[in-house]
Amino acid sequence: MLKDCSQGADSIDIRKATVGDYDAISDVMFDAVRNGRSEYTEEQRRAWVSQPRNGTSWTERLESQTILVAIRAGQIVGFMSLAANGYIDFAFIRPSAQGTGVFRPLYEAIEKLAQRNEETRLWVHASLMAQPAFDAMGFTITKKETVEIGDQTLDRFEMEKLISIDC
Ligand SMILES: CC(C)(COP(=O)(O)OP(=O)(O)OC[C@H]1O[C@@H](n2cnc3c(N)ncnc32)[C@H](O)[C@@H]1OP(=O)(O)O)[C@@H](O)C(=O)NCCC(=O)NCCS
């Protein structure tokens, strides 16, 4: 276990994901995008994640990076990932756990991991919902983008944070 952030029933454990977590991760992503608070329309959310992801290309994408999961009361309530070159590919928290202190410990564990990997820059394509959360973690906006997904266009921000190597 990488981190146990508090004591008691609400404590959050952070650990590396294993293959056995992939279905739960996929479900958390679907739930976060489709059922959580959002600044995107229903059509935009459906285009982003039409159904819980699965299949070979999904598994290969997960396998190509380090994924940390946050566990509360035995359930995966969120996950975040570190891909090559300091890229944070995923950041998703279940709607029922959003705003309850899961994002920060997950992010801090990702930053520690990046420091251990001697990364000096973390960057992310942040959704409109994620931008204030990454801002609170010290990220700044480098670009505003509009991406096409299916027949929809979604606004998002490219953000970065320069980090120092952990000695
Ligand atoms: C984006 C997402 C991962 C953020 O997780 P969350 O649990 O909702 O995040 P929180 O609201 O707890 O915010 C995280 C931190 O940022 C801070 N924060 C958020 N909005 C803020 C604002 N407007 N001003 C100042 N601080 C803010 C929070 O206070 C919190 O800091 P704390 O731990 O010190 O309290 C989550 O909402 C989600 O999964 N959304 C749907 C999918 C998505 O958009 N994923 C991102 C893909 S890039």
Side-chain angles (χ1 to χ4, degrees):
M1 202 67 70
L2 294 176
K3 194 165 185 172
D4 183 353
C5 299
S6 56
Q7 300 298 315
D10 272 354
S11 72
I12 295 164
D13 295 324
I14 311 278
R15 63 161 172 80
K16 281 190 184 175
T18 64
V19 177
D21 298 321
Y22 288 178
D23 284 350
I25 283 171
S26 180
D27 193 59
V28 167
M29 181 178 180
F30 182 82
D31 197 19
V33 172
R34 297 294 291 276
N35 303 321
R37 182 193 64 78
S38 187
E39 295 186 38
Y40 301 112
T41 66
E42 182 61 35
E43 291 72 23
Q44 287 173 316
R45 285 188 266 169
R46 201 177 303 118
W48 183 1
V49 185
S50 61
Q51 57 184 17
R53 301 238 169 114
N54 57 35
T56 310
S57 64
W58 170 245
T59 304
E60 283 173 359
R61 184 165 162 195
L62 296 178
E63 293 285 331
S64 72
Q65 48 193 305
T66 304
I67 298 174
L68 301 184
V69 289
I71 318 272
R72 180 183 276 159
Q75 303 294 318
I76 294 178
V77 292
F79 67 102
M80 203 177 287
S81 73
L82 183 64
N85 302 320
Y87 183 61
I88 296 176
D89 194 14
F90 297 111
F92 294 91
I93 311 290
R94 251 197 213 286
S96 55
Q98 288 174 10
T100 68
V102 180
F103 185 92
R104 183 180 288 277
L106 257 181
Y107 170 71
E108 287 176 350
I110 287 286
E111 187 175 304
K112 272 254 170 287
L113 187 64
Q115 286 173 323
R116 283 203 298 271
N117 292 351
E118 303 195 347
E119 299 287 355
T120 54
R121 173 180 179 258
L122 284 168
W123 65 292
V124 65
H125 287 116
S127 69
L128 299 180
M129 296 76 78
Q131 183 268 321
F134 278 106
D135 181 84
M137 303 300 121
F139 281 66
T140 54
I141 294 171
T142 48
K143 227 184 270 178
K144 183 174 181 189
E145 300 181 333
T146 302
V147 286
E148 277 184 38
I149 308 179
D151 61 354
Q152 298 291 312
T153 57
L154 280 74
D155 290 338
R156 70 180 187 189
F157 295 98
E158 187 178 294
M159 302 180 78
E160 70 171 12
K161 179 179 179 178
L162 303 182
I163 57 171
S164 53
I165 292 170
D166 205 10
C167 301

